[in-house]
Amino acid sequence: MAEQRQIPVYLFTGFLEAGKTKFIQETLEDKRFNNGEPTLLLVCEEGIEEFEPEEFSGHRVKLKAVEEESELTPENLAAWLEAAGAERVLVEYNGMWTLDTLYTNMPKEWIVAQEFLFIDARTFLNYNNNMRQLMVDKLQSCELAVLNRFPEGDEDLKMQAHKIIRAINRRCDIAFETPDGKISY
């Protein structure tokens, strides 16, 4: 019996305007990551930023818009992968959908290679206070939490965010990115 090949999945979570699209765009423009491998990009929410596929390195990325959480079935995911002829999957996940929906419906050969969470630092505390369960859902399994648009020098916010994130996930790295692109961990 032949073994099925594993499909690496790169998962980008966060809420609207958190910076997911920009990060994915830059990643797919980078030849070190995107050297022409056939890739399926599942776009589960539309924000202000839009993808510019003509700028992707390798030009072998197929975009698939997913309008409803209920579309994330094993059959649909497998069919979309096959239609794209892809060897890997990137997912820009809707922050209002639970990750359990994706995890329970991924075909068994799909393996999450990396999971990133993007958070607008200016709205982090508000989202945590008002949508705690959705915040926990995204934080509990991410490998890297990026708090972008972080106000430089705001040590109080940094400590609050650090405590909240560490209470949920002790393993993930935390990156604080200021509007001018400076990053601290």
Side-chain angles (χ1 to χ4, degrees):
M1 185 165 145
E3 270 190 51
Q4 287 193 325
R5 63 186 167 97
Q6 291 186 341
I7 303 297
V9 177
Y10 299 89
L11 182 56
F12 303 88
T13 66
F15 300 98
L16 275 175
E17 305 310 313
K20 297 182 302 291
T21 303
K22 182 178 181 199
F23 186 85
I24 294 168
Q25 178 73 38
E26 291 172 356
T27 299
L28 288 172
E29 289 177 8
D30 189 336
K31 286 180 172 70
R32 293 173 297 176
F33 179 81
N34 189 22
N35 199 16
E37 300 88 346
T39 302
L40 172 62
L41 173 55
L42 297 176
V43 182
C44 299
E45 71 179 6
E46 291 184 38
I48 293 174
E49 295 267 336
E50 291 189 19
F51 288 105
E52 298 176 19
E54 65 279 0
E55 299 295 324
F56 294 160
S57 174
H59 304 288
R60 295 185 67 196
V61 178
K62 303 281 190 223
L63 275 71
K64 169 65 181 152
V66 181
E67 302 294 332
E68 301 289 331
E69 189 174 10
S70 62
E71 292 180 72
L72 296 173
T73 65
E75 298 78 19
N76 283 345
L77 293 169
W80 297 333
L81 181 74
E82 187 176 333
E87 297 173 1
R88 65 181 178 178
V89 178
L90 276 69
V91 182
E92 180 182 31
Y93 204 67
N94 187 318
M96 301 308 285
W97 300 351
T98 63
L99 283 171
D100 190 52
T101 301
L102 179 64
Y103 285 136
T104 58
N105 289 298
M106 284 192 324
K108 64 182 176 217
E109 65 273 9
W110 289 28
I111 307 297
V112 175
Q114 291 182 305
E115 183 180 333
F116 304 94
L117 170 62
F118 291 85
I119 306 166
D120 185 329
R122 302 167 301 180
T123 61
F124 175 69
L125 295 177
N126 193 27
Y127 275 40
N128 185 62
N129 289 336
N130 295 307
M131 297 189 299
R132 176 81 172 153
Q133 191 54 44
L134 286 171
M135 186 64 75
V136 169
D137 179 64
K138 307 308 176 280
L139 275 167
Q140 64 190 355
S141 56
C142 72
E143 296 171 53
L144 173 65
V146 178
L147 281 87
N148 56 33
R149 302 177 188 106
F150 194 85
E152 195 164 2
D154 191 337
E155 293 302 313
D156 185 48
L157 176 58
K158 187 179 274 190
M159 281 311 291
Q160 287 181 53
H162 185 265
K163 286 179 184 178
I164 291 166
I165 293 168
R166 282 289 171 254
I168 298 165
N169 184 335
R170 308 257 334 137
R171 299 176 323 270
C172 78
D173 290 322
I174 305 169
F176 300 93
E177 183 178 8
T178 61
D180 64 357
K182 293 180 191 166
I183 299 174
S184 62
Y185 292 88

